[in-house]
Coordinates of all heavy atoms in Angstrom, one line a residue:
D78 N 42.8 103.5 16.5 CA 42.3 102.8 15.2 C 42.5 103.9 14.2 O 41.9 105.0 14.2 CB 40.8 102.5 15.2 CG 40.5 101.8 13.9 OD1 41.2 101.6 12.9 OD2 39.4 101.2 13.7
K79 N 43.5 103.7 13.2 CA 43.8 104.7 12.3 C 42.6 105.0 11.2 O 42.7 106.0 10.6 CB 44.9 104.2 11.4 CG 44.7 102.9 10.5 CD 45.9 102.5 9.7 CE 45.7 101.2 8.9 NZ 44.5 101.4 7.9
D80 N 41.6 104.2 11.3 CA 40.4 104.4 10.6 C 39.4 105.1 11.3 O 38.3 105.6 10.8 CB 39.8 103.1 10.0 CG 40.7 102.4 9.1 OD1 41.2 103.0 8.3 OD2 40.8 101.2 9.1
D81 N 39.6 105.6 12.6 CA 38.8 106.4 13.5 C 39.1 107.9 13.2 O 40.3 108.3 13.4 CB 39.0 106.0 14.8 CG 38.1 106.8 15.8 OD1 37.3 107.7 15.3 OD2 38.2 106.7 17.0
P82 N 38.3 108.6 12.5 CA 38.7 110.0 12.1 C 39.2 110.9 13.3 O 40.2 111.6 13.2 CB 37.3 110.6 11.6 CG 36.6 109.4 11.1 CD 36.9 108.3 12.0
A83 N 38.5 110.8 14.5 CA 38.9 111.5 15.6 C 40.3 111.2 16.2 O 41.1 112.0 16.5 CB 38.0 111.3 16.7
A84 N 40.5 109.8 16.2 CA 41.9 109.4 16.7 C 43.1 109.8 15.7 O 44.0 110.3 16.1 CB 41.8 107.9 16.7
L85 N 42.7 109.7 14.4 CA 43.7 110.1 13.4 C 44.0 111.5 13.4 O 45.1 112.0 13.3 CB 43.3 109.6 12.0 CG 44.3 109.8 10.8 CD1 45.6 109.2 11.2 CD2 43.7 109.4 9.5
D86 N 42.9 112.4 13.6 CA 43.1 113.8 13.5 C 43.8 114.3 14.8 O 44.6 115.2 14.7 CB 41.7 114.6 13.5 CG 41.0 114.4 12.2 OD1 41.7 114.0 11.1 OD2 39.7 114.6 12.1
F87 N 43.6 113.6 15.9 CA 44.3 114.0 17.1 C 45.7 113.6 17.0 O 46.5 114.6 17.4 CB 43.7 113.1 18.2 CG 44.4 113.3 19.6 CD1 44.1 114.3 20.4 CD2 45.5 112.5 19.9 CE1 44.8 114.5 21.6 CE2 46.2 112.6 21.2 CZ 45.7 113.6 22.0
V88 N 46.1 112.5 16.5 CA 47.6 112.2 16.2 C 48.1 113.2 15.3 O 49.3 113.6 15.5 CB 47.7 110.7 15.9 CG1 49.1 110.4 15.4 CG2 47.2 109.8 16.8
T89 N 47.5 113.5 14.2 CA 48.1 114.4 13.0 C 48.2 115.7 13.7 O 49.2 116.4 13.5 CB 47.0 114.4 12.0 OG1 46.9 113.1 11.4 CG2 47.7 115.3 10.8
A90 N 47.4 116.2 14.5 CA 47.4 117.5 15.1 C 48.6 117.7 16.0 O 49.4 118.6 16.0 CB 46.1 118.0 15.6
T91 N 48.6 116.8 17.0 CA 49.7 116.9 18.1 C 51.1 116.6 17.5 O 51.9 117.3 17.9 CB 49.3 115.8 19.2 OG1 49.1 114.5 18.5 CG2 48.1 116.2 19.9
A92 N 51.2 115.6 16.5 CA 52.4 115.4 16.0 C 53.1 116.6 15.1 O 54.1 116.9 15.2 CB 52.3 114.2 15.0
N93 N 52.1 117.2 14.5 CA 52.5 118.4 13.7 C 52.8 119.7 14.5 O 53.7 120.5 14.2 CB 51.4 118.8 12.7 CG 51.6 118.0 11.4 OD1 52.6 117.5 11.0 ND2 50.4 117.8 10.7
I94 N 52.1 119.7 15.6 CA 52.5 120.9 16.7 C 53.9 120.6 17.2 O 54.7 121.5 17.4 CB 51.4 121.0 17.8 CG1 50.2 121.6 17.2 CG2 51.9 121.9 18.8 CD1 48.9 121.5 18.0
R95 N 54.1 119.5 17.6 CA 55.4 118.9 18.1 C 56.5 119.2 17.0 O 57.5 119.6 17.4 CB 55.4 117.6 18.6 CG 56.6 117.1 19.2 CD 56.6 117.5 20.7 NE 57.7 116.9 21.4 CZ 58.0 117.0 22.7 NH1 57.2 117.9 23.4 NH2 59.0 116.4 23.4
S96 N 56.2 118.8 15.8 CA 57.1 119.0 14.8 C 57.5 120.5 14.4 O 58.6 120.8 14.2 CB 56.6 118.5 13.5 OG 56.4 117.0 13.6
H97 N 56.5 121.3 14.6 CA 56.7 122.8 14.5 C 57.5 123.2 15.5 O 58.5 124.1 15.2 CB 55.4 123.5 14.5 CG 55.5 125.0 14.6 ND1 55.8 125.8 13.5 CD2 55.4 125.8 15.6 CE1 55.8 127.0 13.9 NE2 55.5 127.1 15.1
I98 N 57.5 122.8 16.8 CA 58.4 123.3 17.8 C 59.8 122.9 17.6 O 60.7 123.8 18.0 CB 57.7 122.8 19.2 CG1 56.5 123.4 19.5 CG2 58.8 123.0 20.3 CD1 55.8 122.8 20.8
F99 N 60.0 121.8 17.1 CA 61.4 121.2 16.9 C 61.9 121.4 15.5 O 62.9 120.9 15.1 CB 61.5 119.8 17.3 CG 61.5 119.5 18.8 CD1 60.3 119.4 19.4 CD2 62.7 119.5 19.4 CE1 60.3 119.1 20.7 CE2 62.8 119.2 20.8 CZ 61.6 119.0 21.5
A100 N 61.2 122.2 14.8 CA 61.6 122.6 13.3 C 61.7 121.2 12.5 O 62.7 121.1 11.7 CB 62.9 123.3 13.3
I101 N 60.7 120.3 12.6 CA 60.8 119.0 11.8 C 59.7 119.2 10.8 O 58.6 119.8 11.0 CB 60.5 117.9 12.7 CG1 61.4 117.7 13.9 CG2 60.4 116.5 11.9 CD1 61.2 116.6 14.8
Q102 N 59.9 118.7 9.6 CA 59.1 118.7 8.5 C 57.6 118.2 9.0 O 57.5 117.0 9.5 CB 59.6 118.1 7.3 CG 58.6 118.1 6.1 CD 59.1 117.4 4.9 OE1 60.2 116.7 5.0 NE2 58.4 117.5 3.8
Q103 N 56.5 118.9 8.7 CA 55.2 118.5 9.1 C 54.6 117.6 8.1 O 55.0 117.7 6.9 CB 54.3 119.7 9.3 CG 54.8 120.6 10.5 CD 54.2 122.0 10.6 OE1 54.9 122.9 10.6 NE2 52.9 121.9 10.5
K104 N 53.7 116.8 8.3 CA 53.0 115.8 7.5 C 51.7 116.0 7.3 O 51.0 116.5 8.2 CB 53.4 114.4 8.1 CG 54.8 114.0 8.2 CD 55.4 113.9 6.8 CE 56.9 113.5 6.9 NZ 57.6 113.3 5.6
S105 N 51.1 115.7 6.2 CA 49.7 115.6 5.9 C 48.9 114.6 6.7 O 49.6 113.6 7.1 CB 49.4 115.6 4.4 OG 49.8 114.3 3.9
R106 N 47.7 114.6 6.8 CA 46.9 113.6 7.3 C 47.0 112.3 6.6 O 47.1 111.2 7.3 CB 45.4 114.0 7.3 CG 44.5 113.1 8.1 CD 42.9 113.7 8.1 NE 42.1 113.0 8.9 CZ 41.4 112.0 8.6 NH1 41.5 111.4 7.3 NH2 40.6 111.4 9.4
F107 N 47.2 112.3 5.3 CA 47.4 111.1 4.5 C 48.7 110.5 4.9 O 48.8 109.2 5.0 CB 47.3 111.5 3.1 CG 47.6 110.3 2.1 CD1 46.6 109.5 1.8 CD2 48.8 110.1 1.6 CE1 46.8 108.3 1.0 CE2 49.2 109.0 0.7 CZ 48.1 108.1 0.4
D108 N 49.7 111.3 5.1 CA 51.1 110.8 5.4 C 51.0 110.2 6.8 O 51.7 109.1 7.1 CB 52.1 111.8 5.4 CG 52.3 112.2 3.9 OD1 52.2 111.5 3.0 OD2 52.8 113.5 3.8
V109 N 50.4 110.7 7.7 CA 50.3 110.3 9.1 C 49.5 109.0 9.1 O 50.0 108.0 9.8 CB 49.7 111.2 10.0 CG1 49.4 110.6 11.4 CG2 50.5 112.6 10.1
K110 N 48.5 108.9 8.4 CA 47.8 107.6 8.3 C 48.6 106.5 7.7 O 48.6 105.4 8.3 CB 46.5 107.8 7.4 CG 45.5 106.6 7.5 CD 44.3 107.0 6.7 CE 43.3 105.7 6.8 NZ 42.0 106.0 6.1
S111 N 49.4 106.8 6.7 CA 50.3 105.8 6.2 C 51.4 105.2 7.2 O 51.6 104.2 7.2 CB 51.0 106.3 4.9 OG 50.0 106.7 3.9
M112 N 51.9 106.2 7.9 CA 53.0 105.8 8.9 C 52.4 105.1 10.0 O 52.9 104.2 10.5 CB 53.7 107.1 9.3 CG 54.6 107.7 8.1 SD 55.6 109.1 8.9 CE 54.2 110.3 9.0
A113 N 51.2 105.6 10.5 CA 50.5 105.0 11.7 C 50.2 103.5 11.3 O 50.2 102.6 12.2 CB 49.4 105.8 12.2
G114 N 49.8 103.2 10.1 CA 49.3 101.9 9.7 C 50.4 100.9 9.8 O 50.3 99.7 9.8
N115 N 51.7 101.4 9.7 CA 52.9 100.5 9.7 C 53.5 100.3 11.1 O 54.6 99.6 11.2 CB 53.9 101.0 8.7 CG 53.5 101.0 7.3 OD1 52.7 100.2 6.9 ND2 53.9 102.1 6.6
I116 N 52.9 100.8 12.1 CA 53.5 100.7 13.5 C 53.1 99.4 14.1 O 53.9 98.8 14.8 CB 53.0 101.8 14.4 CG1 53.5 103.2 13.8 CG2 53.4 101.6 15.8 CD1 53.0 104.4 14.6
I117 N 51.9 98.9 13.8 CA 51.6 97.6 14.5 C 52.5 96.5 14.4 O 52.9 95.8 15.3 CB 50.1 97.3 14.1 CG1 49.1 98.3 14.2 CG2 49.7 95.9 14.7 CD1 49.1 98.7 15.7
P118 N 53.1 96.2 13.2 CA 54.0 95.0 13.0 C 55.3 95.2 13.9 O 56.1 94.3 14.2 CB 54.4 95.0 11.5 CG 53.2 95.7 10.9 CD 52.8 96.8 11.9
A119 N 55.6 96.5 14.3 CA 56.9 96.6 15.1 C 56.7 96.2 16.5 O 57.6 96.1 17.3 CB 57.2 98.2 15.1
I120 N 55.4 95.7 16.9 CA 55.2 95.2 18.3 C 56.1 93.9 18.5 O 56.5 93.7 19.7 CB 53.8 95.0 18.5 CG1 52.9 96.3 18.5 CG2 53.6 94.2 19.8 CD1 51.6 96.2 18.7
A121 N 56.3 93.2 17.4 CA 57.1 92.0 17.5 C 58.5 92.1 17.3 O 59.2 91.3 17.2 CB 56.4 90.9 16.6
S122 N 59.0 93.4 17.1 CA 60.3 93.7 16.7 C 61.3 93.5 18.0 O 60.9 93.4 19.1 CB 60.5 95.0 16.1 OG 60.2 96.0 17.0
T123 N 62.5 93.8 17.8 CA 63.5 93.7 18.8 C 63.3 94.8 19.9 O 63.3 94.6 21.1 CB 64.9 93.9 18.2 OG1 65.1 93.0 17.2 CG2 66.0 93.9 19.2
N124 N 62.8 96.1 19.4 CA 62.5 97.2 20.3 C 61.5 96.6 21.4 O 61.6 97.0 22.5 CB 62.1 98.4 19.6 CG 63.2 99.0 18.9 OD1 64.3 98.7 19.2 ND2 62.9 99.9 18.0
A125 N 60.5 96.0 20.9 CA 59.4 95.5 21.8 C 59.9 94.6 22.7 O 59.6 94.5 24.0 CB 58.2 95.1 21.1
I126 N 60.7 93.6 22.2 CA 61.3 92.5 23.1 C 62.1 93.1 24.2 O 61.9 92.8 25.4 CB 62.1 91.5 22.2 CG1 61.3 90.8 21.2 CG2 62.9 90.6 23.1 CD1 62.0 90.0 20.3
V127 N 63.0 94.1 23.8 CA 63.8 94.7 24.8 C 63.0 95.5 25.9 O 63.4 95.5 27.1 CB 64.9 95.6 24.0 CG1 65.7 96.4 25.1 CG2 65.9 94.7 23.2

Side-chain angles (χ1 to χ4, degrees):
D78 185 356
K79 64 181 177 63
D80 295 320
D81 180 0
L85 181 59
D86 287 345
F87 177 84
V88 171
T89 303
T91 53
N93 278 333
I94 292 174
R95 186 79 171 181
S96 298
H97 172 77
I98 292 174
F99 283 89
I101 300 173
Q102 183 181 2
Q103 295 165 235
K104 298 294 183 179
S105 67
R106 189 176 186 273
F107 178 81
D108 293 331
V109 173
K110 186 175 182 178
S111 300
M112 290 186 289
N115 294 326
I116 292 177
I117 303 304
I120 294 177
S122 68
T123 304
N124 289 342
I126 296 173
V127 171

